[in-house]
Amino acid sequence: MSEEENKATIAKFAEVATLAGVKGKVEDDGERFVAGYGFDDGRSQMVYARAIKTPSGAGVCVYSPAAKYKKGMFGGIGKDAAIDLLKRNENLFFARYGIREFDDTLLVVASVDLLIDTLDPEELRSAMGSVSAAADTWEEKAGKGDDF
């Protein structure tokens, strides 16, 4: 997708978010939507949406960071944690765990993909709730505090 198409997709997501009562904003470059999600126990998660191209058309990937791991011999995500994430994926509803790779960091995220043309406020709220809950669960399990 072109930069203009990505921005249009995020702008449409922001419109649906407003209808859903989500307090968030499109970042200055127009490439990503960001919102905070609070839980009753006082914990919180950041939730983002970025434009994606799916086989069925324009979409968004709604995601929430869960934990950061350094790459390298004395860092990284261990085998047991990786297997645990895979097992959790099998029982996770409306979200999945994955790893996004940056220069010297691995970022565990919970995410879900949605088509923008059929997205309604209820589905958006559900997606944000699902990915933020999954991310917060892993963040607590990993003992990483409440960083995201």
Side-chain angles (χ1 to χ4, degrees):
M1 289 178 17
S2 71
E3 186 176 325
E4 293 81 27
E5 290 171 317
N6 286 346
K7 288 181 179 182
T9 297
I10 293 303
K12 188 168 184 180
F13 183 88
E15 290 173 13
V16 177
T18 298
L19 294 172
V22 173
K23 291 180 171 81
K25 68 175 188 162
V26 175
E27 291 184 333
D28 292 339
D29 64 4
E31 296 283 327
R32 193 166 72 161
F33 179 87
V34 60
Y37 195 94
F39 296 98
D40 291 339
D41 65 359
R43 292 180 61 83
S44 63
Q45 285 296 127
M46 295 304 297
V47 180
Y48 302 89
R50 62 183 172 83
I52 59 172
K53 183 176 181 170
T54 77
S56 298
V60 290
C61 175
V62 177
Y63 66 97
S64 183
K68 231 190 268 193
Y69 297 89
K70 287 186 178 189
K71 287 184 187 176
M73 185 181 299
F74 298 108
I77 188 166
K79 180 182 106 175
D80 291 342
I83 290 171
D84 191 12
L85 281 170
L86 286 171
K87 287 179 180 177
R88 287 170 183 263
N89 269 344
E90 183 61 26
N91 296 311
L92 200 56
F93 301 107
F94 305 109
R96 66 177 178 263
Y97 289 115
I99 295 176
R100 297 194 69 191
E101 193 169 0
F102 297 96
D103 296 330
D104 63 346
T105 305
L106 299 173
L107 186 64
V108 173
V109 298
S111 63
V112 65
D113 299 333
L114 307 167
L115 291 172
I116 196 66
D117 288 338
T118 59
L119 184 63
D120 64 36
E122 187 176 327
E123 183 181 19
L124 186 144
R125 276 192 309 271
S126 175
M128 292 186 74
S130 295
V131 299
S132 61
D136 194 59
T137 297
W138 185 259
E139 188 177 37
E140 280 190 295
K141 164 113 174 69
K144 302 288 183 179
D146 193 13
D147 295 338
F148 300 106

